[in-house]
């Protein structure tokens, strides 16, 4: 036997291992009072116990290493997503406020036109009265007073419009600054998390490599550093691995809705010709629900191919349009617009190109999605009434939470050709039908 396998004190083979003191012993060492009450194993038995324990710890360490790698990849993906989301939300804010500026300008112009029309009628009535007035000086004074009053009213309209324009600009800048600030805060948290998890990953990989090497060592060498390696491993296993908690950028919601939306509100009815067989329309063609039994409808080969869908009877090929939909009684719904084509008999039918907002209530969890592309958006509470605004010429479509008076999502840079129809859908899953309904 090699010299280092003998006791330096008693010169006898080191064939025992004291679990209490984590040292190898000879028979005489074991018989001493120092180790008399300690738990002692044969050195090979102790080494096998240590190897088995190392293997169990290696399994836990490898699992934790995979978790660290997964979290690290997620943090890196989230950093990319945060940057993309900031860019997307910036474009939405810019586009939505551009829309609101245009609507404010149109509202101002409409107010001036009404004012001019009112004053014009008043001038006519005054002129007829003045035909019976003999004194021309009184007529001139009356006309001057009317003109001054008209100008004062116009100035007040212009001033009010300017103040509201400034308020919109201020709100927009505040929202953009908040978005930028939240993005920086989130990126800082994610980078700190990335550095922390990366360091933990390196430590885990290092101890795994060392333990794998230790398992191949002879019994005496393995046992020499067993307790130290175990303590290091347990310390790493106790370290918490978690992702960074960040603020959802969608909390930068655009509040308020333009009063001009009411000017563009349209009377929308549902088109029975486009209704999916699973749907039942109300007599006034304003509501739709799922029927209990699916029925065949002869002579209607075309149906919308995305869930149980129905289109509006009205179609738009220009201008601005606004409508509202009550979705409170639906657990899974979709609404938006679709392109239509003119088929035989001048009947408008959907072509399949859609822009949609989708809501889904699963238990107590409410989620919202938009399409295209299919993307989940943050909207923490259930929406009861959705407003839809279409600006055909500018290629914009906005969805509003009417109850909360705030923007849900805004599409811009859309390209429209031909007729556009509002579209509505109630979803079924695995063939199951329910009592969901929508009301326009």
């Amino acid at each position: 036997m090699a010299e280092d396998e003998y006791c330096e004190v008693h010169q006898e083979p080191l064939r025992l291992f004291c679990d209490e003191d984590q040292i190898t012993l000879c028979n005489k060492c074991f018989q001493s009072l120092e180790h008399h009450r300690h738990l002692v194993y044969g050195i090979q038995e102790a080494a096998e116990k240590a190897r088995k324990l190392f293997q169990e710890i290696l399994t836990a360490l490898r699992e934790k290493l995979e978790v660290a790698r997964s979290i690290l990849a997620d943090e890196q993906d989230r950093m990319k997503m945060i940057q993309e989301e900031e860019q997307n939300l910036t474009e939405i804010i810019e586009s939505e406020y551009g829309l609101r500026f245009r609507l404010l300008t149109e509202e101002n112009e409409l107010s001036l036109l009404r004012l001019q029309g009112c004053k014009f009628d008043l001038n006519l009535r005054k002129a007829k009265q003045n035909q019976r007035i003999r004194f021309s000086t009184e007529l001139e004074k009356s006309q001057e007073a009317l003109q001054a009053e008209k100008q004062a009213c116009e100035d007040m309209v212009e001033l009010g419009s300017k103040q509201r324009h400034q308020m919109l600009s201020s709100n927009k800048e505040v929202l953009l600054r908040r978005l930028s600030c939240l993005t920086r805060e989130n990126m800082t948290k994610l980078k700190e998390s990335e550095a922390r998890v990366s360091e933990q990953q390196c430590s885990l990989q290092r101890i795994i490599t060392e333990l794998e090497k230790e398992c191949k060592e002879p019994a005496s060498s393995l046992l020499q550093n067993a307790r130290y390696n175990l303590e290091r491993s347990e310390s790493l296993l106790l370290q918490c691995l978690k992702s960074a908690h960040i603020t959802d950028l969608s909390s930068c919601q655009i509040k308020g809705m333009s009063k001009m939306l009411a000017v563009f509100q349209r009377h929308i009815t549902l088109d029975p010709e486009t209704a999916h067989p699973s749907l039942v329309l109300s007599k006034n063609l304003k509501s739709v629900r799922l029927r209990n039994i699916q029925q065949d409808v002869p002579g209607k080969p075309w149906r919308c191919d995305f869930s149980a869908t129905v289109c509006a009877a009205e179609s738009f090929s220009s201008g601005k349009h606004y409508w509202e939909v009550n979705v409170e009684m639906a657990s899974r719904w979709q609404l938006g617009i679709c392109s239509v084509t003119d088929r035989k008999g001048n009947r408008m039918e959907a072509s399949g190109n859609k822009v949609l907002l989708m809501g889904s209530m699963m238990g107590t969890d409410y989620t919202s999605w938009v399409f295209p592309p299919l993307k989940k958006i943050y909207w923490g509470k259930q929406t009861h009434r959705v407003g839809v605004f279409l600006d055909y010429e500018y290629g914009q479509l906005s969805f509003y939470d009417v109850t909360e008076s705030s923007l849900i999502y805004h599409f811009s840079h859309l390209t429209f050709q031909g007729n556009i129809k509002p579209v509505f859908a109630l979803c079924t899953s695995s063939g199951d039908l329910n009592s969901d309904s929508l009301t326009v």
Side-chain angles (χ1 to χ4, degrees):
M1 290 186 180
E3 184 180 348
D4 61 350
E5 294 179 348
Y6 281 79
C7 176
E8 294 180 0
V9 177
H10 304 107
Q11 297 301 311
E12 290 191 6
L14 297 170
R15 294 174 180 173
L16 302 173
F17 182 76
C18 177
D19 192 60
E20 183 76 17
D21 295 329
Q22 291 286 301
I23 59 173
T24 53
L25 305 173
C26 67
N27 283 328
K28 288 185 177 180
C29 291
F30 172 59
Q31 294 171 6
S32 67
L33 292 176
E34 184 180 357
H35 301 288
H36 184 64
R37 295 184 179 277
H38 292 175
L39 185 60
V40 176
Y41 298 97
I43 192 168
Q44 294 300 328
E45 182 185 3
E48 285 307 310
K49 286 181 178 290
R51 285 192 180 94
K52 184 179 179 181
L53 185 56
F54 279 2
Q55 290 300 330
E56 292 175 357
I57 290 178
L58 277 170
T59 299
L61 288 170
R62 291 183 185 119
E63 290 175 355
K64 188 153 189 172
L65 178 61
E66 288 304 311
V67 173
R69 287 171 175 166
S70 177
I71 291 177
L72 187 60
D74 287 344
E75 298 299 69
Q76 292 167 348
D77 288 342
R78 287 209 292 170
M79 281 191 277
K80 294 178 183 177
M81 290 175 60
I82 284 290
Q83 292 172 326
E84 292 173 358
E85 189 176 2
E86 182 196 21
Q87 181 179 355
N88 183 45
L89 286 175
T90 299
E91 291 176 358
I92 286 177
I93 292 170
E94 293 284 358
S95 185
E96 175 67 16
Y97 271 95
L99 166 64
R100 296 188 179 199
F101 286 133
R102 292 198 308 275
L103 291 178
L104 179 58
T105 300
E106 292 183 19
E107 181 182 352
N108 181 45
E109 291 173 351
L110 185 61
S111 296
L112 289 175
L113 285 173
R114 288 173 176 171
L115 182 63
Q116 289 172 359
C118 176
K119 292 303 180 182
F120 178 72
D121 292 341
L122 187 59
N123 283 337
L124 282 178
R125 291 196 298 270
K126 196 67 178 180
K128 289 178 180 179
Q129 291 177 4
N130 287 335
Q131 287 177 359
R132 298 189 294 268
I133 298 177
R134 297 180 178 180
F135 302 102
S136 61
T137 55
E138 291 183 5
L139 175 61
E140 291 175 0
K141 289 181 180 180
S142 177
Q143 289 176 336
E144 289 175 359
L146 284 171
Q147 188 63 34
E149 182 182 350
K150 175 184 175 183
Q151 187 61 47
C153 290
E154 291 177 354
D155 291 343
M156 288 180 65
V157 170
E158 290 287 354
L159 179 61
S161 175
K162 184 177 180 180
Q163 290 174 341
R164 291 171 63 189
H165 193 285
Q166 290 174 343
M167 184 177 67
L168 275 179
S169 296
S170 176
N171 291 343
K172 171 188 167 185
E173 293 306 316
V174 168
L175 201 56
L176 288 173
R177 283 197 300 271
R178 172 170 168 75
L179 176 61
S180 178
C181 181
L182 284 180
T183 301
R184 287 196 304 270
E185 291 177 0
N186 286 342
M187 289 297 291
T188 299
K189 291 177 182 177
L190 289 170
K191 287 178 180 178
E192 290 174 351
S193 175
E194 179 190 32
R196 182 177 61 256
V197 175
S198 180
E199 183 179 349
Q200 288 176 297
Q201 176 183 308
C202 291
S203 298
L204 287 165
Q205 185 61 69
R206 187 162 49 249
I207 192 64
I208 288 172
T209 302
E210 292 176 7
L211 284 183
E212 288 173 341
K213 183 179 179 182
E214 286 290 330
C215 287
K216 299 175 183 178
E217 292 291 329
S220 58
S221 298
L222 182 147
L223 293 170
Q224 185 177 2
N225 297 314
R227 175 168 289 181
Y228 171 69
N229 288 326
L230 289 174
E231 289 175 351
R232 287 177 61 205
S233 301
E234 290 172 353
S235 176
L236 280 174
L237 289 172
L238 289 173
Q239 288 183 10
C240 182
L241 276 175
K242 62 180 181 179
S243 303
H245 177 72
I246 60 175
T247 305
D248 198 304
L249 296 184
S250 297
S251 61
C252 298
Q253 296 173 0
I254 302 178
K255 299 291 185 180
M257 296 171 61
S258 172
K259 295 179 180 179
M260 279 295 287
L261 294 178
V263 175
F264 303 110
Q265 188 149 7
R266 305 301 178 218
H267 177 76
I268 301 295
T269 55
L270 304 174
D271 183 5
E273 295 289 326
T274 65
H276 187 277
S278 296
L279 298 176
V280 177
L281 306 187
S282 62
K283 291 183 179 180
N284 64 359
L285 301 178
K286 299 292 286 183
S287 297
V288 57
R289 65 172 176 84
L290 289 166
R291 71 169 76 243
N292 293 326
I293 301 176
Q294 196 173 54
Q295 297 180 356
D296 293 330
V297 182
K300 306 296 181 186
W302 171 84
R303 288 292 177 267
C304 292
D305 58 0
F306 193 87
S307 191
T309 308
V310 61
C311 294
E314 294 74 19
S315 61
F316 311 116
S317 58
S318 63
K320 301 178 179 67
H321 311 276
Y322 177 75
W323 60 97
E324 294 182 356
V325 186
N326 190 323
V327 298
E328 186 174 5
M329 300 304 295
S331 58
R332 296 184 301 277
W333 52 266
Q334 305 152 351
L335 56 91
I337 58 173
C338 66
S339 302
V340 293
T341 54
D342 190 357
R343 298 291 179 87
K344 293 180 180 180
N346 293 322
R347 184 164 64 91
M348 294 295 181
E349 295 185 342
S351 67
N353 297 323
K354 301 182 181 72
V355 183
L356 299 170
L357 170 70
M358 294 166 271
S360 176
M361 175 65 77
M362 301 295 289
T364 59
D365 296 328
Y366 186 79
T367 57
S368 298
W369 302 75
V370 291
F371 174 85
L374 184 61
K375 180 174 65 173
K376 184 178 181 179
I377 60 173
Y378 173 81
W379 197 254
K381 59 186 73 177
Q382 183 179 5
T383 305
H384 298 299
R385 192 175 186 87
V386 178
V388 187
F389 179 75
L390 167 68
D391 190 330
Y392 193 100
E393 278 72 24
Y394 278 86
Q396 294 179 336
L397 186 70
S398 296
F399 294 98
Y400 299 94
D401 185 325
V402 178
T403 307
E404 297 293 323
S405 186
S406 57
L407 179 74
I408 298 175
Y409 197 81
H410 176 97
F411 287 95
S412 59
H413 309 298
L414 300 174
T415 301
F416 300 132
Q417 292 182 348
N419 289 287
I420 298 294
K421 276 180 176 284
V423 64
F424 315 89
L426 291 170
C427 303
T428 59
S429 59
S430 304
D432 296 332
L433 300 179
N434 52 43
S435 59
D436 282 6
S437 65
L438 295 174
T439 302
V440 183

